[in-house]
Amino acid sequence: MSDDNAVKMTTMNYDKDRPAAENPVKIEDLSLRDGHQSLFATRGRTEDMIPVAEMMDEVGFWAMEVWGGATFDTMHRFLNEDPWERIRTLKRYIKKTPFSMLLRAQNLVGYRNYADDVARAFVDRTAANGMDVFRTFDALNDYRNFETVVPVIKECGKHFQGCICYTLTEPRLGGEVYNIDYYVNKAKDLEAMGADSICLKDMAGLIAPYDAYAVIKAMKGAVKPPIHLHSHFTSGMSSMTHLKAIEAGVDIIDTVMAPYGFRTSHAAIEPLVMTLLGTDRDTGFDIRQLAAINEILEKEILPKYRHLLDDTKSAITDINVLLHQTPGGMLSNLVNQLREMDALDKIDEVYAELPRVRKDLGQIPLVTPTSQIVGIQTVNNVLFDDENERYKMITGQVKDLCYGLYGKTAVPINPEVQKKALKGYDRGEEPISCRPAEVLEPELEKAKKDTEGLAVDLDDVLIYALYPVTGKKFLKWKYGKEQPPKEVQPRTLEDAKAEQELLKKAKAGKLVEIPEKAAPAKGENFRTFNVFVDDEYFEVGVDPGEGAPVINYVQPTPGAAVAAYAPAAPAPAPAVAKPAPAPKADEPKAAPAPAAAVEGTSLFAPMPGMIISFEKKVGDEINEGETIVILEAMKMENALPAPAGGTIKAINYSSGDSVAKGDVLCVIG
Ligand code: CO
């Protein structure tokens, strides 16, 4: 790009004198997939895409990403929308611009590897419903996970775009693993697989402008397919990165419409159009047309979603990406996890431990789902390890990774960690080295059987095959066999406006708070307590409401969590609980009965989470260290071992129950 071009433009009439670019940068718009996925938890509804669909079709985008990634999951689960229908509906409005989707290779649009028969059927049906460009990635950059889907994409006559997930082990490009050679070699692999284009996928916004220049220049020199850059704004570098990538000769750039832009999403298209105006890489887009689309988005669409925007921070850039290369989503998960465990003070230890865990696990890229896998294991290590033992609590997903179920890691996994993780692992203690899906049994026929009488076609069956629990529920809503709950209904512009009005009034101090409930009359158990805080004295009235005060349980085992349950009443506390009042018949599921008078060693929940299953039942004889219960926390499964040997005396929860840190899960006597 020459300086002359830029100078010429200052005196040029926007419309008449704009020369056609020699090599225009092609643009893929991501507003309708990654845009709302990054900013609004993927909650965008089809009805909110239609008002701008025809106008966006006129812009001249190389492609529009409208599907894939998390959309399939959120649509059927939270929006009561048939994911397949979205492609067909949008196709009626967007007739010229090719559609693009994000395909997680053998993970399809889910979070695990699916069997080959499901993968083939899914790609085939996606193509038949109208998808054109299949942007395909694997979290480990293990292209054996492409081997099933790519031939189907090709057979359907569609565009196979192969991705390289961009990641780092150093602050900038380089080091022993993720250097220029790594990316060039990956690009060559994709070319050999028949990639119609190659996408450098920078999901965390890590790629620095000069590194983008170096990598893209090298890739352009090494392979023939067009090079496409996908770089999230998260760290704040991506606008600069786009410009350097363009100078290096990148063919296609991903952007969004301004209202869907910045923060953890992507840089907006409008500034780029103006930046390149009149140069030999001019997009040729009409900025006034883009402004007209923005007007509709701002006034009619985005107000419905603004409540989903994370506005807890003033900065729209994430400094932690620059400091620790921690992707934004991963960091907020870690912070949440630590907060729930009252351990936010350990965040610096987590930052220090994270690169160690990642190294132990083969320096894998940090992207869904690997960012989660590494992140939660790091938190577990910080909270539960001691100087004598590391990896005390290994999640189920880390075990799967060590087994090879996600694919080949960038460097070998630490053999000690691998051996420890696979001890007693149910698929076997020897890791596999084959393509992961080879160890998976076919799943499609079973899915067909399971949905007999409910699924009408293969598209329905696939919703179930990918998401058995929520997929089945959706099919029941779809065919009127169950009433969808209120939460899945769309929020209207009126709802949003009414809420805005209320907020305005509240801010102006014009809202009067009405007490929710009048105080009830004092009951027969009403008692007063004298409370002394330093020199101050308060008289506090306490009415337990139902019956006399009951101490639910007092555990002999020391522990902070138990102390929290101890009554503060000055009256002599009974050492053992009185029987808790029986739950009323009309309460379908009361809290599980606490391990009242049972004596023994308690297994406490080390973290808040949901019970997946108890591996043992009351009366079972167990040895110390045997797995008793699988607890899911932050989507990761943790096998909790018995703190002592003996007989299981009480189990307090069942599958699906939520537990808090310190809850007594079972008692061993
Ligand atoms: Co993205």
Side-chain angles (χ1 to χ4, degrees), residues 379-398:
V379 171
N380 279 5
N381 286 6
V382 167
L383 294 178
F384 305 117
D385 288 1
D386 52 41
E387 62 271 26
N388 301 319
E389 192 184 357
R390 277 176 57 71
Y391 290 91
K392 263 192 162 174
M393 191 174 309
I394 301 182
T395 68
Q397 281 74 8
V398 166

Side-chain angles (χ1 to χ4, degrees), residues 387-432:
E387 62 271 26
N388 301 319
E389 192 184 357
R390 277 176 57 71
Y391 290 91
K392 263 192 162 174
M393 191 174 309
I394 301 182
T395 68
Q397 281 74 8
V398 166
K399 292 176 183 189
D400 292 342
L401 180 77
C402 288
Y403 184 66
L405 217 49
Y406 288 93
K408 191 170 182 286
T409 52
V411 300
I413 295 175
N414 177 340
E416 263 173 61
V417 174
Q418 190 168 33
K419 198 167 167 223
K420 180 159 192 190
L422 292 180
K423 191 161 178 282
Y425 180 71
D426 52 6
R427 286 178 188 271
E429 298 196 346
E430 270 308 302
I432 55 169

Side-chain angles (χ1 to χ4, degrees), residues 29-243:
D29 177 83
L30 310 178
S31 305
L32 306 186
R33 202 286 299 178
D34 211 352
H36 68 100
Q37 179 169 327
S38 298
L39 298 187
F40 307 116
T42 334
R43 295 301 199 272
R45 287 178 182 270
T46 309
E47 64 186 53
D48 291 328
M49 301 174 182
I50 292 171
V52 290
E54 283 171 321
M55 292 169 82
M56 289 185 74
D57 195 22
E58 295 298 325
V59 172
F61 294 121
W62 178 77
M64 285 171 69
E65 191 188 45
V66 297
W67 208 71
T71 61
F72 195 97
D73 184 6
T74 48
M75 260 186 274
H76 86 276
R77 190 191 298 251
F78 299 118
L79 308 178
N80 188 20
E81 273 196 47
D82 188 332
W84 304 105
E85 185 53 46
R86 175 170 293 176
I87 313 178
R88 298 192 295 264
T89 301
L90 290 179
K91 210 72 182 177
R92 290 201 289 276
Y93 297 89
I94 303 170
K95 294 176 177 154
K96 292 186 280 197
T97 313
F99 280 4
S100 177
M101 77 165 290
L102 183 65
L103 182 69
R104 296 169 178 156
Q106 197 82 24
N107 289 356
L108 305 178
V109 287
Y111 305 97
R112 67 169 176 93
N113 276 332
Y114 294 96
D116 284 336
D117 58 348
V118 170
R120 276 189 214 102
F122 179 83
V123 173
D124 188 61
R125 289 307 307 154
T126 304
N129 274 293
M131 192 48 59
D132 303 293
V133 178
F134 288 75
R135 170 177 290 174
T136 310
F137 83 95
D138 175 68
L140 300 190
N141 285 331
D142 181 350
Y143 296 141
R144 294 173 309 168
N145 289 326
F146 283 22
E147 283 174 17
T148 300
V149 293
V150 168
V152 189
I153 297 169
K154 292 279 185 184
E155 278 159 32
C156 294
K158 302 299 184 180
H159 183 115
F160 159 47
Q161 179 170 89
C163 285
I164 311 168
C165 294
Y166 185 83
T167 190
L168 297 168
T169 55
E170 318 291 322
R172 290 275 300 270
L173 177 72
E176 277 173 30
V177 189
Y178 298 109
N179 45 39
I180 287 202
D181 287 347
Y182 175 90
Y183 292 104
V184 168
N185 288 334
K186 288 289 170 190
K188 285 179 180 166
D189 291 347
L190 290 171
E191 182 178 40
M193 288 188 95
D196 297 298
S197 57
I198 292 169
C199 176
L200 191 60
K201 180 177 157 62
D202 171 29
M203 53 276 165
L206 296 179
I207 194 164
Y210 291 113
D211 292 341
Y213 183 90
V215 170
I216 286 167
K217 193 103 188 156
M219 281 164 70
K220 284 298 290 178
V223 296
K224 287 199 186 71
I227 304 295
H228 193 145
L229 177 66
H230 177 89
S231 178
H232 279 256
F233 186 80
T234 320
S235 67
M237 291 191 288
S238 84
S239 301
M240 296 181 273
T241 296
H242 284 168
L243 203 57

Side-chain angles (χ1 to χ4, degrees), residues 24 33 52 59 98 118 197 218 232 244 263 287 306 311 361 441 468 496 553 570 620 622 658:
R33 202 286 299 178
V52 290
V59 172
V118 170
S197 57
H232 279 256
K244 291 308 291 181
R263 298 183 186 266
I287 198 159
R306 210 168 286 145
D311 59 359
L361 298 180
E441 296 294 325
Y553 64 89
D620 281 359
I622 44 119
S658 293

